[in-house]
Amino acid sequence: MKPVYGLIDANSFYCSCERVFQPRLRLLPVVVLSNNDGCAIARTTEAKALGIKMGDPWHLIRKRPELAAVEWFSSNYALYGDMSRRMYQVLAERVPRVEPYSIDEMFLDLTGLPGDLTERCRSLRDDVRRIAKIPTCIGWGPTKTIAKLANGIAKDNPDLGGVCDLTDPAIRDSYYAALPVGEVWGIGSKSATKLEKAGYRTIQDFIDAPVPEVRGLLTVVGERTQAELRGVSCLPFVDAPADRKSIACTRSFGRPITAWHEMREAIATYATRAAEKLRQQGLQAGHIAVFLHTNPHAKGEPWHSGQKAAQIEPTNDTMVLITQAVRMLKPVWRDGYRYAKAGVMLSNLEPAVERPKQLFFSLSDSQSKLLMPAMDAINARYGRNTISPLAIGIARPWSARSRRLSRQFTTKLEDVLAAQAW
DNA sequence: TCTGGGGTCCTAGGACCC
DNA sequence: TCTGGGGTCCTAGGACCC
């Protein structure tokens, strides 16, 4: 049976999440900003129409007079993550196999489903809208790459009613001839430029290019994309998420850090957060890396960046990871610079199982086995950092800005909307 | 004048994605 | 004053080994 891959993707997902609980935002231009209120990372149609681009630095563009009425929000990941879960729920109850791809996108296995696919996808879309309150588009075809393309076409052509079927090769060809190769999933700006220089401008040009040449320009990755566009499925449906390979916590600061004790706090904070993520996923890390750097955009300001990494005895203990991270940080820190960002990255991940290791173990090993779960339980119940190592500081004046954060409408009891009827 | 071949593992860097 | 964060995969090159 020929496979049919579908891709459902939320429209302006973060903005749509904000609109669910603030109906006044309907029809208004809305943007959601990245961490630290830095860049625009989600825009509604109305905001796009005003010329706001993905990744535009907000502090630079907000001064434009025509943007005065734009509603903007800091990222509220607790809300978006929960809305994503609801979206998944609706789909999982209606489609045999759903593969989450990102926070706002899911692949659907539509192979062999009875009835008219267009009707089915329309009603899926309606259900997500009605139950999870999120507007979406759905595209489908014989490969994941084609499904992605179909989804993009549905987004760009409102007259299609939010769905696009690229099963028919003749219909595909008409789009292939008209669309630039950079529209394809997996062809980024660098690859698009390479292809254009070699004379391949449209998707059709790319498909017709000799395979060895594609391989030479874009390696096996490009070769695979080309095959997928030809209708040969190379990217299978994945039922279970693959094992994580790395976990990171990196942040820009709300203001530059110039003092060692603040940088130490920041790294300890990131190590703490990374360790929490490790334990949530039942993993431990055998490799840790830290980095810091000054502001790459500040012309004329002295630049410094540093990084250091090391293998460690596999652990997911917050205290151990803080100690290691700070130890790694010391040699890369230099006085006299204005640091803008730092981070902690953990890799060589493995399941956190009991295993015989060092010949000499300390008492703290067995203590932390009790302490970490207790800390996690308390913080899960009463909120992040209800209890935390003192190393992460108390006030954290360097932490990221988040000046217009909406409420945690769905995940925090105090933030739930109240309705009154009488 | 002459200086092997083949394999593995690790890391850094680049490109991509959302 | 203020320009994100978190992932994946691939390749090239070096170290090392026999």
Side-chain angles (χ1 to χ4, degrees):
Chain A
M1 194 178 304
K2 285 193 172 172
V4 182
Y5 293 93
L7 182 79
I8 182 165
D9 185 328
N11 305 341
S12 315
F13 181 58
Y14 295 172
C15 297
S16 297
C17 292
E18 299 293 348
R19 276 177 168 168
V20 171
F21 298 95
Q22 303 177 78
R24 68 176 187 87
L25 298 176
R26 250 186 323 169
L27 306 177
L28 294 182
V30 180
V31 301
V32 170
L33 306 182
S34 61
N35 265 21
N36 221 14
D37 297 340
C39 308
I41 53 168
R43 308 104 72 217
T44 60
T45 316
E46 298 79 4
K48 289 174 194 171
L50 290 172
I52 300 173
K53 303 267 186 314
M54 184 72 175
D56 273 350
W58 184 240
H59 77 98
L60 293 182
I61 64 159
R62 66 182 297 196
K63 301 193 183 90
R64 294 183 354 214
E66 71 273 23
L67 302 187
V70 173
E71 296 281 345
W72 62 275
F73 294 91
S74 307
S75 287
N76 185 343
Y77 289 108
L79 175 63
Y80 311 150
D82 191 58
M83 296 304 286
S84 173
R85 193 186 50 75
R86 290 163 188 241
M87 191 174 142
Y88 174 86
Q89 205 64 43
V90 173
L91 294 165
E93 285 163 7
R94 289 163 178 77
V95 179
R97 295 162 87 199
V98 182
E99 177 194 332
Y101 171 64
S102 73
I103 194 164
D104 74 326
E105 279 172 87
M106 287 130 209
F107 282 108
L108 311 170
D109 186 359
L110 304 176
T111 308
L113 293 186
D116 180 53
L117 263 190
T118 303
E119 277 315 302
R120 184 183 286 262
C121 288
R122 286 221 169 99
S123 89
L124 267 181
R125 201 175 157 257
D126 290 345
D127 288 348
V128 172
R129 176 85 222 218
R130 183 171 49 84
I131 300 166
K133 310 293 181 195
I134 297 295
T136 60
C137 287
I138 307 184
W140 64 98
T143 70
K144 282 185 167 178
T145 303
I146 292 172
K148 271 289 257 186
L149 191 70
N151 185 279
I153 291 168
K155 279 227 160 103
D156 293 341
N157 300 277
D159 48 303
L160 293 177
V163 297
C164 175
D165 177 3
L166 285 188
T167 311
D168 181 348
I171 295 178
R172 285 210 295 275
D173 286 347
S174 65
Y175 284 110
Y176 283 178
L179 292 173
V181 68
E183 296 281 303
V184 174
W185 182 46
I187 307 289
S189 63
K190 305 276 182 185
S191 299
T193 306
K194 274 188 200 170
L195 290 171
E196 275 156 30
K197 278 191 181 144
Y200 307 115
R201 212 183 51 77
T202 66
I203 300 179
Q204 191 62 55
D205 294 339
F206 175 57
I207 289 178
D208 293 338
V211 173
E213 195 177 349
V214 170
R215 191 181 186 122
L217 288 168
L218 309 182
T219 79
V220 293
V221 183
E223 198 181 326
R224 203 154 50 209
T225 299
Q226 189 192 36
E228 282 249 319
L229 286 169
R230 285 176 170 159
V232 180
S233 180
C234 305
L235 303 168
F237 202 88
V238 179
D239 285 297
D243 292 339
R244 274 234 168 296
K245 299 208 162 64
S246 67
I247 283 177
C249 182
T250 73
R251 292 275 182 294
S252 297
F253 309 126
R255 54 136 171 93
I257 282 187
T258 55
W260 161 252
H261 75 273
E262 287 193 344
M263 183 62 83
R264 194 184 49 197
E265 267 181 26
I267 283 291
T269 304
Y270 303 159
T272 299
R273 181 77 194 103
E276 285 167 1
K277 290 191 205 174
L278 269 182
R279 294 194 296 272
Q280 265 168 26
Q281 299 177 40
L283 298 171
Q284 55 192 15
H287 186 268
I288 180 170
V290 306
F291 74 87
L292 48 67
H293 62 72
T294 56
N295 184 352
H297 308 286
K299 308 281 178 247
E301 201 175 284
W303 165 259
H304 177 243
S305 74
Q307 58 185 76
K308 192 165 169 61
Q311 308 279 348
I312 54 172
E313 187 70 30
T315 184
N316 59 21
D317 184 295
T318 296
M319 306 305 174
V320 173
L321 288 166
I322 287 177
T323 307
Q324 295 284 3
V326 171
R327 176 185 301 167
M328 228 87 51
L329 182 67
K330 270 180 193 150
V332 296
W333 165 267
R334 287 199 206 149
D335 285 322
Y337 288 93
R338 291 159 50 83
Y339 290 103
K341 183 173 176 177
V344 172
M345 288 173 298
L346 305 174
S347 50
N348 286 13
L349 306 186
E350 57 179 42
V353 289
E354 210 64 39
R355 43 176 245 166
K357 33 187 184 188
Q358 306 130 296
L359 184 53
F360 305 101
F361 61 92
S362 60
L363 183 62
S364 66
D365 271 4
S366 47
Q367 286 176 337
S368 93
K369 271 189 198 90
L370 299 173
L371 180 56
M372 292 301 126
M375 254 176 58
D376 291 339
I378 290 169
N379 289 333
R381 173 149 185 193
Y382 298 102
R384 181 167 296 164
N385 293 341
T386 300
I387 61 166
S388 62
L390 191 55
I392 75 168
I394 307 289
R396 292 186 288 280
W398 41 266
S399 60
R401 282 181 303 272
S402 210
R403 286 173 289 203
R404 292 197 63 182
L405 191 61
S406 53
R407 294 154 67 175
Q408 290 182 31
F409 298 105
T410 62
T411 54
K412 200 170 166 190
L413 200 52
E414 305 93 275
D415 284 359
V416 168
L417 293 180
Q420 214 168 38
W422 66 91

